[in-house]
Amino acid sequence: MWRGVVAAYLSVRGRSGSVDVWDSIVIGAGQGGLAASYFLNQRGVDHLVLDSNPRPGGAWQHRWDSLTMHEVHGVADLPGDPAPGRSSERANVAVPNYFADYEQRHELRVVRPVEVTEVTSAGALLVVHAGERAWRTRTLVNATGTWTSPNWPRYPGAEVFRGEQFHTATYPGPEYLRGKRIIVVGAGASAVQFIGELAPIADVAWVTRRPPVWRTEEFGPQTGLQIVTEVEKRVVAGLPPSSVVGATGLMLRAHEQEAAELGAYDDPLPIFERLVPEGAQWADGTVEAADTILWATGFRSAVDHLEPLGLRGPLGGIPLERVPGNVQAATTAVHDRRVHLIGYGPSASTIGASRAARRAALEVAQQVTDRAS
Ligand SMILES: Cc1cc2nc3c(=O)[nH]c(=O)nc-3n(C[C@H](O)[C@H](O)[C@H](O)COP(=O)(O)OP(=O)(O)OC[C@H]3O[C@@H](n4cnc5c(N)ncnc54)[C@H](O)[C@@H]3O)c2cc1C
């Protein structure tokens, strides 16, 4: 009932031309956005969450069906409620259910589906636009993740290739690809997972731009801290962020052993030069025939809607303010301190997003209080 009342109230209150001004608007209702909303509520900050998805679950609702809670790296807790643990349940069911319960239990004010098209500055206020609708706010927490911004490299010949092409974001699952000749492109965890389930049932060739980096030991907190620290340095310096999750190194798990025994991970091919109608071609003229190219080539931060604010520095990234002693707490945009980014750079993991959300809420609460006094 509460949700229906809220949706009706908020859509009226948020219309363009409304005289109301929010203390904060959160964009995105994934791990980062929900955690931010929780902490903003704790601090009494009047805010709304806008999310482009029709349902709760952030990017997790779009993960492929064969990804179970055994295969994910691990989903960190949202503040105050334990996340689902390892199980054979589909990640695209378990995590969205967790998020949906969380939104209800903590009475988070999420309006969906609302796709923010741009954020502009109007004097002391920011204006969040979604088509004809607009919300005015004193501060902004951006938590839009990466899923809606797939990194899909375009090689010459992409348009003449006669087969099908998919990205991780559109992976159709193993049954669809059974018996096909598939080229998997990419040296990250998604490529390893896809090969694990495809090699036993299809003819798979693995192609990588750089040699894959294998890890022989379980991933510990010390390694995690090192990786996050490196990403934080890049972001503070104003460089485009590298991926935290992608930098953890690759390790085969039990369900990938069959593919390993088939030699599917041995000696990946270097990246091809172009696509041709029947497959991929290398500079020496060699052609690998394929029915399908699967681009497991990662994602970029989904921040195009922030372009009007001019947050980027000359090196192409959005520089964030460093917080000494806490590498995941860099959230405040250097070029506009009203804007806070979480799930960006060092906080682009479920644990990082939750931690960054706490910091962003603290900053927002201080900024709102400072303006009021
Ligand atoms: C394939 C894959 C597997 C991963 N596995 C793990 C893992 O096992 N463990 C881990 O810790 N991390 C993992 N990550 C990283 C992790 O998913 C994210 O870093 C983490 O969930 C942070 O969530 P988020 O809130 O930043 O983003 P998301 O969960 O992506 O949520 C962002 C939300 O914002 C919405 N949105 C985007 N643009 C707009 C817009 N313009 N207007 C309105 N709404 C918008 C989206 O629709 C979405 O609902 C994985 C990432 C990928 C791509």
Side-chain angles (χ1 to χ4, degrees), residues 27-33 50-53 58-60 63-64 72-74 114-116 143-145 147-148 190 245 299 305 343 348-350 353:
I27 311 177
Q31 185 96 12
L50 308 177
D51 187 55
S52 56
N53 273 304
W60 290 96
R63 303 277 203 256
W64 53 99
V72 299
H73 287 294
V114 175
E115 178 158 2
V116 172
T144 45
W147 188 261
T148 54
S190 304
V245 175
F299 296 82
H305 54 285
S349 65
T350 55

Side-chain angles (χ1 to χ4, degrees), residues 93-104:
V93 172
V95 183
N97 284 345
Y98 170 56
F99 283 10
D101 287 351
Y102 191 84
E103 286 180 17
Q104 282 205 318

Side-chain angles (χ1 to χ4, degrees), residues 152 154 158-159 161 163-167 170 275 292-293 295:
W152 190 322
R154 293 291 166 185
E159 64 297 339
F161 174 60
E164 289 187 288
Q165 299 186 57
F166 298 97
H167 184 272
T170 57
L275 295 183
T292 305
I293 314 284
W295 299 92

Side-chain angles (χ1 to χ4, degrees), residues 180-199:
K180 301 216 160 123
R181 292 165 306 174
I182 305 159
I183 296 178
V184 177
V185 186
S190 304
V192 169
Q193 282 178 26
F194 295 149
I195 293 167
E197 56 188 36
L198 293 173

Side-chain angles (χ1 to χ4, degrees), residues 48 72 95 106 151 198 209 295 358:
L48 264 191
V72 299
V95 183
H106 296 285
N151 177 38
L198 293 173
R209 200 155 52 93
W295 299 92
R358 179 193 290 272

Side-chain angles (χ1 to χ4, degrees), residues 6-357:
V6 165
Y9 163 69
L10 298 173
S11 67
V12 171
R13 191 177 172 186
R15 284 205 190 284
S16 184
S18 154
V19 291
D20 292 301
V21 174
W22 296 91
D23 284 339
S24 197
I25 293 282
V26 178
I27 311 177
Q31 185 96 12
L34 296 186
S37 183
Y38 173 93
F39 288 123
L40 289 170
N41 272 348
Q42 273 198 332
R43 293 183 176 279
V45 175
D46 189 24
H47 72 281
L48 264 191
V49 184
L50 308 177
D51 187 55
S52 56
N53 273 304
R55 288 177 297 279
W60 290 96
Q61 65 195 278
H62 303 294
R63 303 277 203 256
W64 53 99
D65 286 349
S66 53
L67 183 75
T68 71
M69 293 303 289
H70 276 309
E71 278 118 37
V72 299
H73 287 294
V75 174
D77 296 345
L78 283 164
D81 279 327
R86 301 226 168 260
S87 76
S88 55
E89 195 178 4
R90 277 164 41 190
N92 63 12
V93 172
V95 183
N97 284 345
Y98 170 56
F99 283 10
D101 287 351
Y102 191 84
E103 286 180 17
Q104 282 205 318
R105 193 175 5 264
H106 296 285
E107 299 185 345
L108 306 184
R109 293 175 294 181
V110 184
V111 187
R112 57 166 66 91
V114 175
E115 178 158 2
V116 172
T117 43
E118 62 173 9
V119 182
T120 55
S121 183
L125 298 179
L126 295 160
V127 187
V128 178
H129 304 263
E132 294 297 299
R133 302 171 72 189
W135 292 261
R136 295 192 301 156
T137 178
R138 294 184 175 84
T139 65
L140 184 82
V141 178
N142 191 79
T144 45
T146 58
W147 188 261
T148 54
S149 189
N151 177 38
W152 190 322
R154 293 291 166 185
Y155 280 84
E159 64 297 339
V160 300
F161 174 60
R162 281 197 298 259
E164 289 187 288
Q165 299 186 57
F166 298 97
H167 184 272
T168 301
T170 57
Y171 176 54
E175 276 319 307
Y176 183 85
L177 298 172
R178 182 179 282 277
K180 301 216 160 123
R181 292 165 306 174
I182 305 159
I183 296 178
V184 177
V185 186
S190 304
V192 169
Q193 282 178 26
F194 295 149
I195 293 167
E197 56 188 36
L198 293 173
I201 60 163
D203 179 1
V204 175
W206 189 17
V207 168
T208 65
R209 200 155 52 93
R210 287 192 214 98
V213 179
W214 294 99
R215 154 167 69 89
T216 47
E217 287 163 18
E218 274 307 327
F219 186 75
Q222 200 49 39
T223 325
L225 182 62
Q226 276 168 13
I227 291 169
V228 173
T229 304
E230 286 309 309
V231 180
E232 187 239 23
K233 276 190 199 149
R234 285 183 65 89
V235 165
V236 168
L239 289 159
S242 49
S243 161
V244 171
V245 175
T248 54
L250 305 171
M251 198 170 182
L252 293 181
R253 273 121 3 128
H255 52 271
E256 285 142 5
Q257 283 311 320
E258 191 182 348
E261 281 159 22
L262 291 166
Y265 299 109
D266 299 344
D267 305 322
L269 299 167
I271 190 70
F272 41 76
E273 191 183 63
R274 59 177 54 248
L275 295 183
V276 290
E278 62 275 31
Q281 186 176 48
W282 280 259
D284 66 359
T286 313
V287 170
E288 176 86 26
D291 305 305
T292 305
I293 314 284
L294 178 52
W295 299 92
T297 42
F299 296 82
R300 295 180 203 280
S301 301
V303 289
D304 287 355
H305 54 285
L306 302 179
E307 285 305 322
L309 296 177
L311 302 179
R312 285 189 197 279
L315 300 178
I318 299 180
L320 300 182
E321 279 180 11
R322 182 153 195 273
V323 178
N326 189 347
V327 284
Q328 278 167 334
T331 57
T332 305
V334 168
H335 296 304
D336 190 333
R337 299 197 71 260
R338 300 169 297 180
V339 181
H340 306 268
L341 284 88
I342 55 183
Y344 178 86
S347 65
S349 65
T350 55
I351 190 161
S354 286
R355 287 180 180 164

